[in-house]
Each structure stands twice: as structure tokens, then as C-alpha cells.
Amino acid sequence: MKFKIYLCVAISAVLFTASSVFAFQATFLPRISLTEEYTDNLYLSEDNEEDEFITIISLGFTTELLWQHGGIELSYDPACVLYHEFSENDTWRHTALLYSWADLTRNNRLEVRDTFVRTEDPFGEEEINDLRSEEPAVEADPTLRTTREPYWTNTSSVRFTNRFGENDFFYLEYAYSILENEDKTLEDNTRHIPSAGLTYWFTPRWGSEIIVSYSKAEYDREDEFYTGPDAGDPSYDFEQWEGSIRLIKQFSRQLEGHLGYSHIYFDSEETVTEEDYQIYNPFIGFDYSVAEDKTIAVDVGYFYQDYKEETDARDDDSGITADAVFEKTFRRGSVSLTGSAGYFGAYLGAEDLGLSIYYEAGMEADYNLTRRVTGDVFGSYRQDKYEELDPVRRDKATRGGVGLTYTYERWLSSNINFIIRAEYSYRNFDSNIDELDYVENRGLLTITLTRSQPYRSGR
């Protein structure tokens, strides 16, 4: 409730700046889409595979209000979901994105963001992550969800940024996230994340970056309807402090290097102090713009996890941390290759699995085959090891797919764009817990109608 008050105050501050400005511009872009989806494994099961056709009808819009020193952008896409065989899963999906900003002074900006998703699709959050234009305040959930019970997530944030030099700035941010499941065997949770950061260049060649954050996570295990593990036990709430520092060297306009260190302190409730730990992680990396259409970014480090109390089931751990991104833009397409390794706290998703040691690789590419037809391909592989579980759980997740998009602009000489997309995707989940294994093939065909230009008004 307190965060809702803070959010309302922040939005009011943004709107207040608009009230004192005479000129504004408003746009409204409606859209409608019809999707027919097929899956050969509706409940992601190895032994009980069920195929199904799903019809999705969506009517949405994006609207924007701009004025001299700020603006608000809102996208909302409700969708009616109809299952052909398993009609008990019929439901409504909702996807909403809000972004507002206000330049309080020439050097001070206030930003408010909110992302809301309600869906029954186990992979529904992936779609919203593809729509984000900024790094999310809460990381995506890599854990396993197999039911078709609806769930919803909401992440809100308020950020104040002050710029005091050409490349120097600091920010203060507060984020709040919530997960609620209609499947009462899964845990609901909330998370509060205040953070702050400073980027300062001592000279044109030497700079620094400091980021600190605090997370307070609370599980809703005392809900009278919750029937999952540890029902009625609130003792697994936790706090986490995290900080990182980088020393940056600008070698040239194209090449930037850095040396850094990050630290995590994880503190559970007193009744489970054997789960408390610290992580020490020095790293080194660089960002290199080979050309205007080609960039490479690499970070490599080493982490050491130190438990406060070692047990037979939990030993200190260590390993490589790495992040690598290669991006290349062509005249008619682009390609992106990514790889990463390290640690991830899988505490607040569909499953509460503890700390994961993971390795991940992915690729995405698109190419304009003709003026109206675009093809794309994507794939990823992720390996997780959850050593806090007994027995230790090891998961391997493989995903791949292809798509074709046909766009006919100003269809039938009107102001309407006609878009058809066909997509196929494949998923393979392989775990040392055999009952979790599954393979799914999914195909979809989507027809979308939208205006080529939004409606506009202003003064």
C-alpha cells in the first residue's frame, strides 16, 4: 500500500509538469489481432502429453502524451483465450506497459515505469520481456512452470536521475514487484528493491561506476489457501545487499575497458541461518565498437560463495562468471550472439530453488527476404545446477525456432497495415529429476491489423 502511495505521488509530479505547459501532442494507435496456436504438450509433461489448439483474440492500443518537459506512454493489450478441447482453461490475458517521465530541471529527470502481465501461458512473461526497451528491475524467471492456472506479475519503479557533467550522473530508484498465482501449490511473493548508482569521470580517459542495491523479499506462505511446501511458515523471507564498483579506462573512441568487483550478502530469517552466504566476484571486461554496425562486449570474472554455516548438504562453491555479446547489423538484417555464466538467485519465481550456478548461450537473427517479408531465427541453451536442494538438481533447457512475417503497408490503399506472422518453436527440458522432463513443439499463426499512422491531436 505504501508503494502505491509513492507511485501515485510520482505520477502526480509528472502530470503536474504537464499542467503548466500549454502545448502538447497526443497520439493513439489501435490494433487488433487473431492468433491460432497449436501445442503438442499442453501441460509440459513427459508421460501425459496433450495436444491442443488455442484461439487468442486481442484488441489493444498504444497511446502517448508529450509536452515540452515530459510525457506518458501507455500500451495495453487484453486478449480473450479460448481452448478447443480443454475449455476449463479459457481465460483473459492482460499485458500493460507504462512509462512516464518529467524533466524537473535541465539536469534532473523523474521516471516512472510499470509492467503488468496476467496470463496462463507458462512462458507468457517471455513476450513482455521482448517488449521492454530497458533493463528490467527484476530479472526474468528461469524456473519451471507446468500448469495452465493463471498468474500475474507486476513490476513498478520510480527513478530520479541527476546529471552533473557530460557523462557524469547519479540516480536513486525504488522498485516493487509482486507475483500472485491462482495455483495455490505455488508461492506468492513480493519484493522491495531500493537502489542507487553513480557514474563519474575523473578525466576524459578515466571513469568510475558504483551501484548499490537492497532487496527485501516476502513470501505469502501464511495465506490460508496456500497448500505448497512450508505452508504457514514465513521464516524463508530474506534480505539481500548487493554492490558493485568499476574502474573504467577509455582507450579510444571505439575501445573501453574496465576492472571491477561485486559483492552479495544474502540474509535469511534467523531460523534458517545455514542458508546465509556471501559472494565475492572480481571481474574484468571491455566494450569494443569494431565498426558502426559491429560491437563486442565481454566480461570475465571468478566468484566464490561462502556459506555462513556449512552443512552436509551445502558446501562453499566457486566458478567462472562471464558475459559476452556480439552484435552485427547488415543492410537487410542483424544477428546477435550472447553467452553468460555465473550465479542466479532462483527464489521468487514459479519455484523456490535457491542459488543456481548456470551457463547460457543464445542467438537471434533476422533478415529482410523481400520488401514485405522478414525471416527470423532464434535459439538458446541454459544449464542450471541448484546445489541447495537435496538431492542436487541439474536442469538443461534448450529452445529454438523460426518465424516469417509478411507486412502489407496501407492495405487496399487504406491507412491500415496488414501483418501475418507464422512461427514454430521447440523446447526441450532435461532434468536429473526425471518427472520434470518434457519436449514441446509449438506453432502459431497471427493476423494483425493496425494503423500505419496513429491518430494525432494537440495544441
Side-chain angles (χ1 to χ4, degrees):
M1 179 62 68
K2 288 183 179 179
F3 178 74
K4 292 180 180 179
I5 295 174
Y6 298 151
L7 185 60
C8 289
V9 171
I11 294 177
S12 299
V14 172
L15 293 175
F16 177 77
T17 64
S19 64
S20 60
V21 178
F22 179 78
F24 73 89
Q25 177 178 303
T27 63
F28 181 80
L29 182 65
R31 53 185 167 269
I32 185 171
S33 68
L34 173 65
T35 299
E36 190 65 24
E37 179 180 304
Y38 170 79
T39 173
D40 67 354
N41 195 352
L42 182 66
Y43 297 109
L44 305 179
S45 170
E46 184 178 39
D47 301 322
N48 185 28
E49 296 184 358
E50 299 282 359
D51 62 342
E52 176 65 300
F53 286 92
I54 307 170
T55 301
I56 306 164
I57 305 167
S58 175
L59 179 64
F61 66 87
T62 296
T63 185
E64 190 173 40
L65 177 65
L66 301 175
W67 57 92
Q68 185 178 1
H69 297 294
I72 297 177
E73 181 178 343
L74 172 66
S75 295
Y76 177 51
D77 292 275
C80 177
V81 184
L82 304 173
Y83 286 73
H84 289 220
E85 296 292 335
F86 299 89
S87 58
E88 65 272 17
N89 293 318
D90 290 356
T91 189
W92 281 86
R93 297 177 184 174
H94 299 273
T95 301
L97 294 171
L98 169 70
Y99 174 57
S100 60
W101 72 100
D103 292 328
L104 306 178
T105 68
R106 189 177 70 172
N107 298 320
N108 297 319
R109 169 169 284 203
L110 181 67
E111 297 172 284
V112 177
R113 288 185 168 89
D114 189 87
T115 302
F116 176 84
V117 180
R118 183 192 187 274
T119 181
E120 88 299 345
D121 187 345
F123 308 107
E125 287 186 271
E126 292 182 356
E127 298 179 7
I128 199 70
N129 288 331
D130 293 338
L131 297 175
R132 296 180 193 264
S133 59
E134 83 290 343
E135 194 72 20
V138 177
E139 296 177 281
D141 176 20
T143 61
L144 180 61
R145 181 186 292 271
T146 59
T147 74
R148 286 279 169 165
E149 292 284 346
Y151 61 98
W152 64 270
T153 67
N154 193 83
T155 301
S156 303
S157 65
V158 178
R159 177 173 174 136
F160 171 79
T161 304
N162 169 262
R163 292 191 173 274
F164 56 94
E166 182 178 357
N167 298 305
D168 306 322
F169 66 92
F170 79 86
Y171 71 86
L172 300 172
E173 183 172 16
Y174 176 75
Y176 175 79
S177 71
I178 186 170
L179 167 65
E180 289 202 4
N181 303 280
E182 292 193 17
D183 182 348
K184 294 307 177 182
T185 65
L186 301 179
E187 298 171 325
D188 300 340
N189 60 67
T190 59
R191 188 177 181 185
H192 306 264
I193 317 169
S195 62
L198 169 68
T199 298
Y200 179 68
W201 287 82
F202 312 109
T203 72
R205 294 290 186 179
W206 289 93
S208 62
E209 177 189 76
I210 300 174
I211 299 175
V212 294
S213 67
Y214 166 80
S215 298
K216 171 64 175 177
E218 300 172 339
Y219 295 99
D220 195 11
R221 289 187 172 126
E222 295 181 288
D223 188 325
E224 61 178 318
F225 299 107
Y226 173 60
T227 60
D230 307 305
D233 182 3
S235 63
Y236 283 82
D237 296 350
F238 66 85
E239 298 174 316
Q240 178 174 293
W241 289 264
E242 184 172 358
S244 67
I245 184 169
R246 291 195 307 150
L247 179 64
I248 309 168
K249 167 67 172 178
Q250 189 81 40
F251 294 98
S252 66
R253 294 180 59 186
Q254 292 78 31
L255 178 61
E256 179 182 286
H258 57 261
L259 180 67
Y261 173 78
S262 65
H263 190 97
I264 289 178
Y265 178 75
F266 181 91
D267 180 24
S268 60
E269 296 292 330
E270 292 183 1
T271 54
V272 285
T273 55
E274 68 270 13
E275 292 190 355
D276 297 353
Y277 60 80
Q278 297 188 67
I279 294 179
Y280 311 87
N281 181 199
F283 59 90
I284 189 171
F286 68 88
D287 297 281
Y288 183 38
S289 298
V290 183
E292 288 187 5
D293 59 355
K294 187 187 304 182
T295 60
I296 302 173
V298 176
D299 269 319
V300 178
Y302 188 83
F303 79 91
Y304 176 74
Q305 180 192 19
D306 179 22
Y307 280 104
K308 184 175 182 179
E309 296 181 14
E310 290 190 38
T311 66
D312 293 338
R314 294 181 176 86
D315 292 325
D316 294 345
D317 207 345
S318 60
I320 298 294
T321 60
D323 281 291
V325 178
F326 171 79
E327 295 179 339
K328 168 69 176 177
T329 302
F330 305 96
R331 184 173 63 89
R332 300 177 62 178
S334 65
V335 61
S336 174
L337 304 175
T338 60
S340 61
Y343 49 87
F344 174 81
Y347 298 101
L348 299 171
E351 301 177 281
D352 178 8
L353 304 177
L355 192 73
S356 161
I357 310 301
Y358 76 93
Y359 302 90
E360 185 175 26
M363 67 84 62
E364 295 180 357
D366 62 82
Y367 189 76
N368 296 326
L369 303 173
T370 70
R371 184 169 63 90
R372 293 176 176 168
V373 179
T374 300
D376 59 88
V377 60
F378 52 90
S380 65
Y381 174 81
R382 182 180 175 107
Q383 180 175 314
D384 288 273
K385 181 174 68 171
Y386 302 98
E387 292 196 338
E388 294 183 7
L389 301 181
D390 187 18
V392 173
R393 176 170 151 181
R394 294 177 173 84
D395 296 341
K396 299 176 182 178
T398 305
R399 177 176 179 249
V402 295
L404 280 176
T405 303
Y406 174 84
T407 303
Y408 195 116
E409 297 182 351
R410 298 188 178 277
W411 182 46
L412 300 179
S413 301
S414 67
N415 197 30
I416 302 297
N417 288 350
F418 177 77
I419 305 167
I420 299 179
R421 176 168 175 80
E423 182 180 309
Y424 164 78
S425 63
Y426 166 85
R427 298 178 188 271
N428 185 317
F429 190 86
D430 181 18
S431 175
N432 64 326
I433 311 298
D434 292 338
E435 59 265 27
L436 301 180
D437 295 350
Y438 73 85
V439 175
E440 184 202 28
N441 294 279
R442 183 183 295 202
L444 61 84
L445 180 67
T446 300
I447 299 174
T448 302
L449 297 178
T450 184
R451 285 179 57 87
S452 58
Q453 296 291 331
Y455 296 103
R456 299 180 183 275
S457 65
R459 64 180 187 183

